[in-house]
Amino acid sequence: MSERKLFGTDGIRGKANIYPMVPEIATALGRAVTFYFQKKNENKKAPLIIIGKDTRLSCYMIEQAFSAGVLSQGGRVIFTGPLPTPGVAFVTTSMRADAGIMISASHNDFDDNGIKIFDAHGFKLPDEVELELEELVLNPKLIPPKVGGEIGRAKRLEGVEGRYVVHVKSAIAEECDLTGMRVVVDSANGASYKVAPLVMSELGAEVFSIGVNPNGENINLNCGSLHPSEAANEVVKLRADIGFCLDGDADRIQVIDKNGGLIDGDRLIGIFAKLLLDQGKLKKGDTVVGTIMSNLGLENYLKKLGLNFHRTKVGDRYIMEYMKSENALLGGEPSGHIIFLEHATTGDGTLAALKAIEATFYFKKSINELSEEIELYPQILKNVSVSQKKSIEEMPGFEKELRACEQELGNEGRVIFRYSGTEPLARVMVEGKSSALIEAVCDRLVAALKKEIA
């Protein structure tokens, strides 16, 4: 496959107003997306493109630039305003649009931004389509211009949040009455600042909201799934039953138990697998999908339940691609991207929150009691800033240390080395039964890596 120049593991992402996250590329991508989906459309009608966003200051700039590209190519645009990534995917399918666009850099700081693209069915685009779009962006002469009455129109869709709220609420079992339940919701000053608290309150919960005052610059700032300490403190202080922390575009979640403890994505996947199995939606021998970063303890737990476990590359779209190919109902990542294929086409933090509540009703246990049934291996992840992304073979000293560490861990541990698809970082993850051992192994690997890239 050709080397990707613009797209990473989750769309295009970077510093806002620095290449490639500049208005010129957004406009060119808008043209390319419109041209591509018009070419696919047998009726040749003007493609309808849904454009959603989170609360970053730069979203105004990128939204208008992308829209200009769509309109210049004869497409029709509907703006949703701030809406979670899974909400954009849902609205795209419910309105029978040709594509959906989410402008967000997810969990990154406010001065980053990104563009994620969904097809008409709400699924992220495969690598080969992204490469075709890159070719159109970088070679604009491949797209014949539209003129006169062929140029498109745009409008804003009012009340779109309500459509998504109704959709998400329909995913929780009817017998789950949240009346009397105290719930803390941290929306990270991001895309879910309206909808996540609304979903919980409409189901009857007493909701205590934080991270619901976006100002364009405070998305993910000391709040949300990457910074859950304030929400955890609120859960304990308010004697809440449960807490939820979403990220900037609300496609991932951290769950907080009543004691302020954090429950990560791997434990949630285990809980959800048991729930779906007991409800008869999964059966013995079915497959749950994770990534190379998923914990060995989760894999062992799923095996005890009689379920298979498959690992993909990091990125929820790779999980989704495998789930589609194998008709798997459940997949996710340790970061808290959880996909319920029955209800959604991408990770959905608000949906996962409701399913966590449903599990407590179904098993008549608290979320921490459920999570304690899943014994995870100690795991450590360290990031190293890099100026270039060399292959392991190009770093012989690091490769030698890596092989030695793998041998030392044996069958009771793993080492994963990978580069971030969205940031200039190398990630070293070590997992094993002994915390002291994996800490020492990770330090050795990071030191060896820094020698190679110094």
Side-chain angles (χ1 to χ4, degrees):
M1 183 176 288
S2 304
E3 185 180 351
R4 297 147 71 85
K5 300 178 179 68
L6 297 173
F7 286 91
T9 54
D10 199 10
I12 300 174
R13 194 178 297 183
K15 197 68 68 183
N17 225 20
I18 302 293
Y19 186 91
M21 282 310 303
V22 292
E24 295 84 353
I25 290 294
T27 300
L29 184 59
R31 288 187 72 222
V33 166
T34 310
F35 177 76
Y36 174 83
F37 284 101
Q38 188 163 40
K39 193 172 61 172
K40 277 191 68 178
N41 192 326
E42 294 176 0
N43 299 323
K44 302 297 182 188
K45 64 180 177 65
L48 175 61
I49 312 292
I50 306 295
I51 301 181
K53 61 180 181 179
D54 65 23
T55 57
R56 290 161 213 274
L57 183 63
S58 59
C59 282
Y60 294 103
M61 173 182 75
I62 301 299
E63 174 189 54
Q64 296 300 321
F66 193 98
S67 170
V70 174
L71 302 180
S72 75
Q73 203 52 39
R76 297 169 292 150
V77 167
I78 288 181
F79 297 111
T80 70
L83 192 67
T85 288
V88 172
F90 166 71
V91 170
T92 300
T93 57
S94 71
M95 296 199 67
R96 301 185 180 182
D98 295 271
I101 306 301
M102 179 63 183
I103 301 168
S104 174
S106 190
H107 58 279
N108 289 27
D109 293 341
F110 93 95
D111 52 355
D112 285 351
N113 216 329
I115 299 173
K116 305 179 186 184
I117 306 171
F118 297 96
D119 67 15
H121 305 290
F123 294 109
K124 292 177 181 176
L125 304 181
D127 289 343
E128 57 270 21
V129 175
E130 290 185 343
L131 283 168
E132 190 171 338
L133 291 175
E134 281 192 359
E135 181 69 15
L136 294 169
V137 168
L138 300 173
N139 297 281
K141 290 181 180 178
L142 295 173
I143 305 176
K146 302 281 187 178
V147 294
E150 295 178 314
I151 291 171
R153 300 173 184 268
K155 65 179 180 180
R156 192 162 295 277
L157 184 64
E158 300 298 334
V160 67
E161 300 97 339
R163 297 179 182 224
Y164 173 65
V165 167
V166 170
H167 165 68
V168 173
K169 282 166 55 184
S170 70
I172 190 170
E174 288 185 16
E175 58 269 25
C176 296
D177 180 3
L178 275 56
T179 302
M181 179 175 272
R182 295 164 67 87
V183 179
V184 171
V185 179
D186 181 351
S187 295
N189 292 314
S192 68
Y193 78 99
K194 289 182 183 178
V195 299
L198 187 59
V199 166
M200 299 295 170
S201 62
E202 287 194 3
L203 288 168
E206 184 181 4
V207 180
F208 302 91
S209 301
I210 57 178
V212 290
N213 296 293
N215 62 15
E217 299 182 18
N218 62 358
I219 189 170
N220 300 314
L221 182 62
N222 301 321
C223 58
S225 63
L226 262 65
H227 307 282
S229 57
E230 183 185 351
N233 290 337
E234 288 293 293
V235 168
V236 174
K237 183 175 76 175
L238 297 168
R239 297 182 182 177
D241 297 289
I242 199 166
F244 303 109
C245 293
L246 305 171
D247 69 338
D249 68 335
D251 65 351
R252 71 164 74 179
I253 191 172
Q254 282 245 41
V255 177
I256 302 167
D257 68 32
K258 64 182 179 182
N259 303 315
L262 297 177
I263 300 169
D264 72 357
D266 279 338
R267 279 201 164 93
L268 289 175
I269 293 166
I271 292 169
F272 297 145
K274 184 180 180 184
L275 176 67
L276 295 179
L277 189 64
D278 276 38
Q279 291 176 334
K281 295 179 179 179
L282 286 177
K283 61 182 185 297
K284 302 278 187 180
D286 281 351
T287 298
V288 174
V289 186
T291 75
I292 56 172
M293 305 298 282
S294 300
N295 197 285
L296 273 172
L298 170 63
E299 186 172 352
N300 292 340
Y301 177 76
L302 294 174
K303 284 179 180 175
K304 288 177 185 175
L305 294 178
L307 297 168
N308 296 318
F309 187 63
H310 177 83
R311 298 175 185 272
T312 70
K313 291 191 291 185
V314 171
D316 66 333
R317 70 193 181 100
Y318 297 116
I319 294 172
M320 187 71 252
E321 285 173 10
Y322 188 85
M323 289 175 69
K324 281 169 63 182
S325 70
E326 300 297 319
N327 292 317
L329 287 181
L330 177 65
E333 299 184 280
S335 61
H337 283 112
I338 313 287
I339 303 173
F340 293 88
L341 189 55
E342 181 185 1
H343 304 288
T345 56
T346 188
D348 189 330
T350 309
L351 171 61
L354 293 185
K355 286 296 180 184
I357 291 172
E358 184 177 325
T360 65
F361 274 81
Y362 186 88
F363 292 113
K364 296 180 172 57
K365 292 182 178 180
S366 66
I367 198 70
N368 50 313
E369 287 176 311
L370 293 171
S371 71
E372 285 168 0
E373 296 175 11
I374 305 155
E375 185 180 349
L376 298 184
Y377 283 25
Q379 195 179 75
I380 186 167
L381 172 67
K382 293 192 177 180
N383 295 324
V384 180
S385 296
V386 295
S387 56
Q388 55 179 313
K389 296 180 179 180
K390 295 180 179 179
S391 67
I392 291 175
E393 292 74 20
E394 294 175 290
M395 301 182 288
F398 175 72
E399 183 179 22
K400 183 179 178 182
E401 189 67 64
L402 176 63
R403 301 305 169 223
C405 289
E406 286 176 333
Q407 190 168 0
E408 187 174 343
L409 290 167
N411 294 327
E412 294 191 340
R414 298 185 303 141
V415 176
I416 301 293
F417 171 77
R418 57 177 284 266
Y419 291 106
S420 168
T422 57
E423 299 171 272
L425 296 173
R427 306 197 195 278
V428 179
M429 188 276 281
V430 184
E431 182 178 73
K433 286 196 169 180
S434 163
S435 296
L437 175 60
I438 65 168
E439 181 81 39
V441 165
C442 196
D443 286 344
R444 281 163 50 193
L445 289 169
V446 167
L449 179 60
K450 286 180 175 177
K451 280 184 184 178
E452 293 282 1
I453 62 175

